[in-house]
Amino acid sequence: MSESSPHLVVRGVSKRYGPTTVLDHIDLTIRRGELVTLLGPSGCGKTTLLRAIAGLAQPDAGKVELAGRDITNVPPHKRNVGVVFQSYALFPHLTVAGNVAFGLKVRGTAKREIDTAVERALSLVKLGHLASRRISALSGGQQQRVALARAIAVEPDVLLFDEALSALDRKLREEMQVELRRLLQDVNATAIFVTHDQDEALTMSDRVAVMNKGRIEQLAEPRELYLRPASLFALNFVGLSTRIHGTVLAASDGKVDVETKVGRLSALGNFQAGSPVIVAARPEQLRLGEQGEANSAAGRVRSVVFQGSRTLVEVDAGAGESLLAELSGRDGAIPRVHDEIRLSWPVTETFAFPMEALG
Amino acid sequence: MTEAALPAPVTAPAVDRERLTAIGFVLPSFVIIAGVFALPLVLLLGVSVVDANGLTFAHYKRLLGTPYYLGVIWNSLRLGLLTTLIAFLISYPAAFALARARGALRAILLATLFLPLAASVIVKAFAWTILLRSDGIVNETLIALGVIEDPIRMIFTETALIVGAVNIFLPFMILPIYAIVAQLDPRYAEAASTLGASPVVTFFHVILPLTLPGIIAGVALVFSLSVSAYVVPTLLIGEKYPTLATTIAKAYLLAREPGFGAAAGVVLLGIAIAVVALSARLSREPK
Ligand SMILES: Nc1ncnc2c1ncn2[C@@H]1O[C@H](COP(=O)(O)OP(=O)(O)OP(=O)(O)O)[C@@H](O)[C@H]1O
Ligand SMILES: [Mg+2]
């Protein structure tokens, strides 16, 4: 099978619990060997989507296909989908090796093959020396690795991780993100990673699906998601931004001029004159001073937050609007609180979004 | 070497204090158990092997060497084993149903389990005799419905005995199993299914081992209660089904053979301890 052919296809999957629609016609196609992250706020349906793929929750409508097979009505134990639960759900009555061997044992694999596979899976997660330990005698990070080893030992067609790292402390979590990504690439696993940690999403994945209220708002590579957010929700959920309210004055092929309380700004977007919009830019696009054709606005510095290689400067631009700039030391002097400054940023990095309630 | 020398003086008093605290907590119950249980047990053991002429095993020879008394031991074992087995078969699914029930239904089910515990065993055994008598409710109903013409003999049969014993001891099986099942994380079964285990395999390889501690507790409780039951066999079956418990009572109250009664008591205790110890062992080594 080629690398780019669809491997997991979710087609129009919907799920309701009582009156609430938890999944609203989800479409998602994942290529073989790809690592996709589901990113979204609490309650947006991430876990439910994973459970629908694993067969642990039956969708009301739609289809799930895996490795060319329609698995919509296949029970979970015949799907070959690996799941790493947030709570790990390791079997407390079995040892580390017993847990990892479980999936192979229930498949009736020969004893010798099981032993080799268990050894291999445990050495992948660097836990070979703990094979005969009880689960209760492991640290959180070690349990996480056992859960991973247990899931990969059966060579599932797709691996699902539901906030698998969120129980770890920050340092360990960051180490595991890098390690896990490398490991998944080594075994060429196709995987879906659920998280509400945007850094984790950007670090781990080939593509990120931003979910909101049971829908996928944008499915894109991390870089594109950050640079070209498709909606205000995606813009807000990933990274920081400056957002200014305004009304479209004039529009011409993909560009709009917007009247705002901090002056006239230009942005990318397609709108009719008179539409209420929000104009947005990423903080690292903002520079001190004027620059030719660029957008610019002035104000008084409200706060300066030093963050090592960069400094975040928040500017009160009056009329309830504020600007957020991320300045690096190379840009010259960093302003101080109460300084009056002017900031400018390129029109090609300015986006207009329809004014909508933030989810 | 220097490492070992440093922390030792610091930690030693802490450990001692911990140990002292632990002993302090255990001491009262230890005194009570030693006084109320251990001492009488030693006396019981003594009485069973000592008579006017000194050391003797005559009572044990009589118990373990006479067909009649072997039959008595077998009756007790049978009562214990059948009651425990049937109570388990009823309780296991019931505990799952109870754990799955929500709100008012769960409260009602739990209440129906707990309330009978407040009534004495004698009252409950009598209730069964009223139900099962030849002119009891069960027979009257069956006759009225035309199912049978003459009353069936139900009371004073082994069936009546087991039915009554199961009914009376059932809560002691359901409650410990329920306590475990209610805590059981549904993720375990889900994890097993995603690893390829069918519902049946999941049951035997995950659910059953994880609920084993509750089963062991229930089995130990119900077996030791039913194997030594006195009121239930006396009221529901009577003379024709002598058990160790009724034999002990007879030896003390009628025959005035305290030595023989003590020996029967030791045998009964031995059986109960053996089963409980076996259960505890099984729960430690599930595989
Ligand atoms: N079994 C269920 N019965 C009723 N409602 C449910 C059930 N499972 C989930 N829900 C509801 O569906 C919605 C989505 O839940 P889901 O667990 O998929 O969210 P999530 O995106 O994983 O959130 P989180 O980040 O908090 O884990 C929530 O509003 C939740 O209350
Ligand atoms: Mg979730």
Side-chain angles (χ1 to χ4, degrees):
Chain A
M1 198 177 284
S2 93
E3 287 289 308
S4 60
S5 65
H7 184 62
L8 174 71
V9 183
V10 175
R11 249 194 258 282
V13 163
S14 293
K15 176 83 186 167
R16 300 169 66 89
Y17 281 117
T20 44
T21 301
V22 177
L23 296 179
D24 190 2
H25 292 91
I26 296 277
D27 288 308
L28 180 66
T29 300
I30 296 176
R31 295 185 294 269
R32 197 180 173 77
E34 198 179 21
L35 217 165
V36 170
T37 297
L38 300 180
L39 178 66
S42 187
C44 72
K46 306 179 297 287
T47 297
T48 307
L49 179 54
L50 282 200
R51 293 175 64 82
I53 294 169
L56 301 172
Q58 187 63 32
D60 301 326
K63 268 184 159 185
V64 182
E65 286 162 28
L66 180 60
R69 186 164 70 115
D70 182 350
I71 57 165
T72 315
N73 296 310
V74 174
H77 66 280
K78 291 183 180 158
R79 287 196 179 198
N80 205 24
V81 169
V83 182
V84 177
F85 294 87
Q86 179 173 1
S87 58
Y88 310 141
L90 294 170
F91 304 128
H93 62 294
L94 301 177
T95 60
V96 167
N99 268 274
V100 178
F102 186 90
L104 296 159
K105 229 174 232 169
V106 301
R107 276 156 215 243
T109 314
K111 172 98 175 62
R112 275 186 41 207
E113 260 176 74
I114 294 182
D115 291 345
T116 339
V118 168
E119 210 170 293
R120 199 177 93 91
L122 281 178
S123 74
L124 268 176
V125 297
K126 306 199 187 85
L127 280 184
H129 58 295
L130 295 182
S132 53
R133 273 271 181 98
R134 313 214 95 223
I135 295 304
S136 55
L138 297 178
S139 73
Q142 291 167 338
Q143 291 188 19
Q144 204 280 330
R145 286 157 200 251
V146 177
L148 175 64
R150 181 176 72 174
I152 58 177
V154 296
E155 297 179 11
D157 288 321
V158 62
L159 265 169
L160 310 177
F161 296 85
D162 194 355
E163 303 192 28
L165 301 181
S166 65
L168 307 179
D169 69 53
R170 184 165 150 206
K171 190 169 176 308
L172 187 57
R173 187 164 69 232
E174 282 169 2
E175 281 172 21
M176 281 303 292
Q177 284 168 8
V178 177
E179 203 173 303
L180 192 56
R181 165 141 188 125
R182 190 180 318 131
L183 197 149
L184 291 175
Q185 280 169 341
D186 284 351
V187 298
N188 194 29
T190 311
I192 303 184
F193 221 90
V194 159
T195 181
H196 39 212
D197 176 346
Q198 49 160 305
D199 292 330
E200 193 168 300
L202 300 180
T203 315
M204 297 282 305
S205 24
D206 296 317
R207 286 190 296 161
V208 179
V210 177
M211 280 188 76
N212 183 26
K213 294 181 187 158
R215 293 170 163 277
I216 293 181
E217 295 241 342
Q218 185 172 11
L219 175 60
E221 288 174 13
R223 202 180 145 71
E224 191 193 336
L225 181 68
Y226 183 79
L227 295 176
R228 295 280 177 269
S231 67
L232 197 56
F233 181 83
L235 170 92
N236 268 331
F237 207 80
V238 177
L240 299 168
S241 55
T242 286
R243 297 180 297 275
I244 299 162
H245 298 254
T247 308
V248 174
L249 282 179
S252 66
D253 49 73
K255 262 179 72 177
V256 288
D257 286 331
V258 182
E259 180 67 47
T260 74
K261 291 186 178 146
V262 302
R264 191 170 296 185
L265 301 174
S266 297
L268 304 179
N270 286 303
F271 294 94
Q272 289 185 335
S275 317
V277 292
I278 287 176
V279 174
R282 293 295 187 190
E284 69 275 12
Q285 301 297 342
L286 276 66
R287 293 271 179 281
L288 276 175
E290 295 264 15
Q291 307 169 40
E293 294 289 277
N295 287 321
S296 87
R300 182 191 290 265
V301 175
R302 187 186 289 150
S303 69
V304 177
V305 180
F306 176 68
Q307 293 187 326
S309 62
R310 56 187 202 162
T311 302
L312 273 181
V313 177
E314 200 194 354
V315 174
D316 180 355
E321 303 288 5
S322 60
L323 310 171
L324 190 64
E326 183 188 310
L327 305 174
S328 72
R330 271 171 299 185
D331 297 334
I334 299 291
R336 295 158 181 263
V337 176
H338 299 319
D339 283 358
E340 294 281 351
I341 60 167
R342 177 163 283 276
L343 291 163
S344 60
W345 62 98
V347 172
T348 51
E349 296 299 335
T350 311
F351 312 102
F353 295 104
M355 193 143 7
E356 55 174 275
L358 289 181
Chain B
M1 314 241 155
T2 43
E3 295 162 332
L6 272 176
V10 186
T11 52
V15 168
D16 272 356
R17 177 179 275 176
E18 236 168 63
R19 197 168 291 166
L20 273 180
T21 315
I23 291 174
F25 276 117
V26 170
L27 204 60
S29 52
F30 180 78
V31 168
I32 291 172
I33 288 180
V36 178
F37 289 105
L39 208 64
L41 275 183
V42 172
L43 290 177
L44 189 76
L45 208 61
V47 171
S48 75
V49 289
V50 176
D51 66 4
N53 307 322
L55 202 64
T56 172
F57 291 103
H59 300 312
Y60 289 99
K61 272 193 198 124
R62 187 171 153 210
L63 262 176
L64 303 172
T66 335
Y68 173 80
Y69 285 113
L70 282 177
V72 168
I73 293 173
W74 172 236
N75 280 349
S76 284
L77 264 177
R78 227 176 120 81
L79 172 60
L81 291 174
L82 279 174
T83 307
T84 306
L85 179 70
I86 295 168
F88 167 70
L89 292 178
I90 296 173
S91 299
Y92 199 67
F96 278 84
L98 198 57
R100 207 148 294 175
R102 290 280 165 263
L105 179 63
R106 186 182 203 156
I108 291 168
L109 288 174
L110 276 173
T112 55
L113 261 180
F114 275 112
L115 279 181
L117 293 179
S120 114
V121 177
I122 302 183
V123 173
K124 281 179 279 190
F126 259 125
W128 275 107
T129 66
I130 293 168
L131 281 173
L132 300 177
R133 270 194 325 239
S134 304
D135 58 347
I137 297 170
V138 176
N139 268 316
E140 304 265 272
T141 313
L142 288 176
I143 290 169
L145 288 173
V147 180
I148 52 172
E149 280 180 16
D150 298 310
I152 308 175
R153 185 175 172 72
M154 283 184 281
I155 190 75
F156 305 133
T157 62
E158 193 181 27
T159 312
L161 171 67
I162 303 294
V163 167
V166 166
N167 168 262
I168 287 165
F169 299 128
L170 200 61
F172 299 98
M173 184 70 85
I174 295 188
L175 289 173
I177 298 179
Y178 164 72
I180 297 283
V181 170
Q183 303 286 323
L184 195 65
D185 188 344
R187 298 272 178 277
Y188 290 129
E190 290 182 353
S193 74
T194 62
L195 288 165
S198 67
V200 173
V201 171
T202 300
F203 177 78
F204 283 106
H205 285 85
V206 177
I207 306 291
L208 199 58
L210 289 181
T211 51
L212 202 60
I215 298 174
I216 304 287
V219 164
L221 274 173
V222 171
F223 182 81
S224 46
L225 284 171
S226 55
V227 77
S228 60
Y230 172 69
V231 172
V232 178
T234 306
L235 289 184
L236 290 179
I237 192 162
E239 281 296 317
K240 68 176 183 186
Y241 196 95
T243 64
L244 279 169
T246 56
T247 303
I248 294 167
K250 233 186 198 158
Y252 276 102
L253 302 175
L254 301 176
R256 307 265 172 214
E257 296 176 302
F260 184 64
V266 170
V267 170
L268 180 55
L269 194 66
I271 292 173
I273 288 176
V275 167
V276 172
L278 193 74
S279 316
R281 213 186 133 71
L282 282 178
S283 77
R284 236 183 297 121
E285 293 165 61
K287 279 245 147 171

